[in-house]
Amino acid sequence: MKILTVDIGSTFTKLTAVDGDARCVIGTAQSFTTIETDVMDGFGKAWAALTEKREGNPCADFRYDELLVCSSAAGGLKMVALGLVPDLTVKAARTAASNAGAKVMKTYAYEISGGEQEEIYQINPDLVLLCGGTDGGNKEVILANAHRLCAIDRPFTTIIAGNKSASDELKAIFEQAGKSYVLTENVMPEFNKLNIEPARDAIRNLFISRIVDAKGLNKIQSMTPHKIIPTPLAVLQACELYSKGTANKAGHGDMLAVDIGGATTDVYSMASGEPSVDSTLVKGLPEPWSKRTVEGDLGMRYSLPHVYEQIEETGIPKEIDAEKLKNWVALCSKHPDTLPTPDSEEERLEEFLGRSAVAIAVERHCGRMAEVYTPMGLMHTLEGKDLLEVPAVIGIGGVVRNSRRPVEILKGALYDLRRSECTKPLHPKFYLDERYIYASMGLLSMIDPDLAFDIMTKETKELEAAASGHQQYHSSVSDEAAAAEGFCM
């Protein structure tokens, strides 16, 4: 059986041709995404490149039996999330939305103000996730926020995933206002207990029923019986598969993956995140084993000025020409299809920017550890995931794939003594999604997980240079880190 997967990204439309009988990828191709006109234009150009009649092209006569599609075009699935308390239902809502493949534009706690109503109007989200209160707990805030959401003159659908005791009143509010809504289970039915799967499923279903038409993807949807899903969800499914394996094949264990796109940088962790240091007290909500965070202000083209601004705040290294860096950022922002010439100064600037985006994104994804002094002596607190001992970091995305030194970019994921409280990986091996197929394999896993797992195992390449890079880094921080932080090195 032949399978074609299509990933319509914010910058490029990527095609992957799979031979299910030979259990391999036989070709890939890409073209610039044409969301401003018709996404089929970009698809057509990528298809022409894939099947070009040239000598030695194994896809020259390729015809597919199955077509699978994901998309993050036009900014992907834009959402805002509302909850009650920032560290509880708001965090639960953000986690549910991110794991469904959405781009969370903003979160709000407590009863939203008139100014925040206006802010949501300006964001113009595709979907809103309304949470708040444990079952049987506070319902005044979620009811007040329901009234305020219904007063916003935008066509978004609201997913209600809060206190079930308020369900009947919430339904009445939305029906009376004539607003679209979906009612599902509470994301936090009990204190400190996450239940994000029902909200995640509701978001995914709404992406299919509403967003596909809105983003002009209905033509390609008509070409396949399989529903289009958000690209980040496809990548999340691939990471879960690679880590856990299938019913027939053992997985590769805990991992961290970084997908650096043109508009966003997504971080995925497949690990329990339990403390690796003795005498550690865990604070806050329990973390999901499979976690995705998306940084909408960190990307290598559309969001590059934001990466640059945050680098400016922490200082640009002496070896980087600040003026050339500024000019390169301006050029890439104006012309997103700009690529550096191999072995050029621009290539070094691109690597530095990529490494910076990785560093900031992984830092936001990981947990925070702090020292506390108790009558029992020195202890630690952990809020979020402890990823210090995660053994693998996988690079996904054009800037890593196109770089001749991907390790230099992925080093941004390493533990940094300057921010010693952040639990980034201490001594991982680095791997590369060399052919940019993780989204493709996440799609393929929906119809043949064993085939997708076999291909990912074959195509995920360990970076040889990672060992020396790691050793160099490890030896430079191990003594100081062990002494200062008490970590087991």
Side-chain angles (χ1 to χ4, degrees):
M1 180 170 67
K2 303 292 193 299
I3 304 115
L4 178 69
T5 67
V6 182
D7 172 14
I8 304 174
S10 60
T11 309
F12 290 101
T13 295
K14 284 91 64 178
L15 271 54
T16 303
V18 175
D19 186 331
D21 299 323
R23 305 186 78 74
C24 66
V25 173
I26 53 176
T28 61
Q30 68 176 30
S31 181
F32 206 71
T33 295
T34 49
I35 193 68
E36 299 299 331
T37 54
D38 187 330
V39 293
M40 295 304 292
D41 295 339
F43 171 77
K45 290 178 181 176
W47 174 255
L50 180 73
T51 58
E52 182 182 4
K53 302 294 183 188
R54 56 181 166 77
E55 186 178 352
N57 181 11
C59 296
D61 298 315
F62 181 77
R63 294 294 180 270
Y64 57 83
D65 304 299
E66 296 278 5
L67 174 65
L68 301 161
V69 185
C70 61
S71 174
S72 58
L77 179 62
K78 293 192 299 181
M79 287 190 69
V80 298
L82 289 72
L84 178 57
V85 179
D87 289 338
L88 296 175
T89 50
V90 173
K91 186 175 179 181
R94 173 183 280 275
T95 301
S98 294
N99 275 29
K103 181 178 179 180
V104 182
M105 307 298 290
K106 190 83 183 276
T107 58
Y108 299 92
Y110 310 115
E111 186 174 336
I112 59 174
S113 65
E116 288 170 327
Q117 270 183 295
E118 174 60 24
E119 193 173 52
I120 295 172
Y121 176 84
Q122 295 299 334
I123 291 172
N124 192 17
D126 298 306
L127 301 175
V128 172
L129 181 58
L130 175 61
C131 305
T134 55
D135 288 344
N138 181 292
K139 62 179 185 179
E140 287 76 16
V141 169
I142 193 171
L143 291 173
N145 283 339
H147 281 294
R148 290 189 175 275
L149 286 175
C150 287
I152 298 173
D153 186 20
R154 290 293 193 188
F156 56 78
T157 293
T158 301
I159 298 166
I160 304 169
N163 182 358
K164 71 174 184 180
S165 302
S167 298
D168 292 339
E169 292 157 274
L170 288 164
K171 287 167 62 178
I173 291 168
F174 279 89
E175 287 173 5
Q176 187 172 4
K179 290 288 189 176
S180 174
Y181 74 96
V182 171
L183 185 64
T184 187
E185 296 177 28
N186 196 344
V187 294
M188 199 176 76
E190 299 174 23
F191 180 69
N192 262 6
K193 180 182 178 182
L194 279 179
N195 177 40
I196 62 174
E197 289 304 319
R200 171 174 150 169
D201 290 343
I203 294 167
R204 183 175 56 200
N205 291 335
L206 282 169
F207 175 84
I208 294 164
S209 64
R210 283 178 51 88
I211 308 307
V212 167
D213 282 345
K215 305 299 185 189
L217 302 170
N218 48 348
K219 290 181 184 175
I220 198 164
Q221 177 66 88
S222 68
M223 297 165 59
T224 173
H226 304 287
K227 300 297 184 184
I228 299 175
I229 66 171
T231 299
L233 179 60
V235 178
L236 183 74
Q237 291 177 169
C239 291
E240 290 175 346
L241 179 70
Y242 187 79
S243 179
K244 296 174 72 173
T246 71
N248 305 310
K249 299 172 185 289
H252 296 280
D254 292 354
M255 57 170 275
L256 179 80
V258 188
D259 185 356
I260 315 164
T264 68
T265 295
D266 296 0
V267 182
Y268 304 82
S269 61
M270 305 295 130
S272 68
E274 294 178 352
S276 58
V277 178
D278 291 338
S279 303
T280 298
L281 176 67
V282 178
K283 297 171 60 180
L285 277 178
E287 292 283 329
W289 176 85
S290 169
K291 178 180 178 180
R292 169 191 178 243
T293 51
V294 54
E295 307 304 335
D297 62 337
L298 302 175
M300 291 305 296
R301 287 298 177 263
Y302 300 106
S303 306
L304 198 56
H306 299 288
V307 177
Y308 176 71
E309 288 168 7
Q310 293 178 71
I311 294 171
E312 271 197 315
E313 292 175 4
T314 56
I316 297 171
K318 288 186 292 184
E319 61 269 24
I320 298 292
D321 186 315
E323 191 62 26
K324 290 182 178 177
L325 181 67
K326 183 178 180 180
N327 293 337
W328 177 249
V329 170
L331 177 65
C332 294
S333 303
K334 187 174 182 180
H335 303 288
D337 55 346
T338 302
L339 294 174
T341 304
D343 201 23
S344 65
E345 186 170 3
E346 288 75 19
E347 189 178 59
R348 300 289 194 280
L349 299 177
E350 188 86 340
E351 289 171 356
F352 171 67
L353 290 163
R355 177 171 173 162
S356 299
V358 170
I360 300 167
V362 174
E363 184 177 317
R364 292 176 183 173
H365 182 92
C366 292
R368 297 289 184 278
M369 194 170 283
E371 293 180 349
V372 291
Y373 292 91
T374 74
M376 303 297 290
L378 176 64
M379 297 185 70
H380 296 89
T381 61
L382 171 67
E383 187 166 5
K385 274 186 160 182
D386 180 347
L387 300 177
L388 289 166
E389 299 299 332
V390 163
V393 172
I394 301 173
I396 305 169
V399 66
V400 187
R401 178 191 177 202
N402 295 328
S403 172
R404 295 185 303 149
R405 289 172 291 274
V407 170
E408 294 305 312
I409 297 172
L410 293 178
K411 281 181 178 176
L414 290 173
Y415 178 79
D416 186 346
L417 266 180
R418 294 169 299 178
R419 298 181 183 275
S420 59
E421 75 283 1
C422 183
T423 58
K424 295 163 79 172
L426 275 166
H427 42 70
K429 291 182 178 179
F430 292 127
Y431 297 83
L432 180 64
D433 172 18
E434 195 171 41
R435 300 177 79 173
Y436 209 175
I437 60 164
Y438 267 46
S440 169
M441 294 301 107
L443 288 167
L444 183 58
S445 70
M446 296 190 301
I447 61 172
D448 193 336
D450 284 339
L451 174 60
F453 181 81
D454 286 347
I455 293 176
M456 289 181 75
T457 299
K458 180 180 178 182
E459 296 285 348
T460 303
K461 306 292 188 185
E462 181 175 351
L463 297 168
E464 296 295 333
S468 59
H470 155 63
Q471 293 298 332
Q472 185 177 21
Y473 174 85
H474 188 270
S475 63
S476 70
V477 302
S478 57
D479 294 344
E480 294 174 70
E485 300 300 327
F487 294 132
C488 298
M489 306 294 290

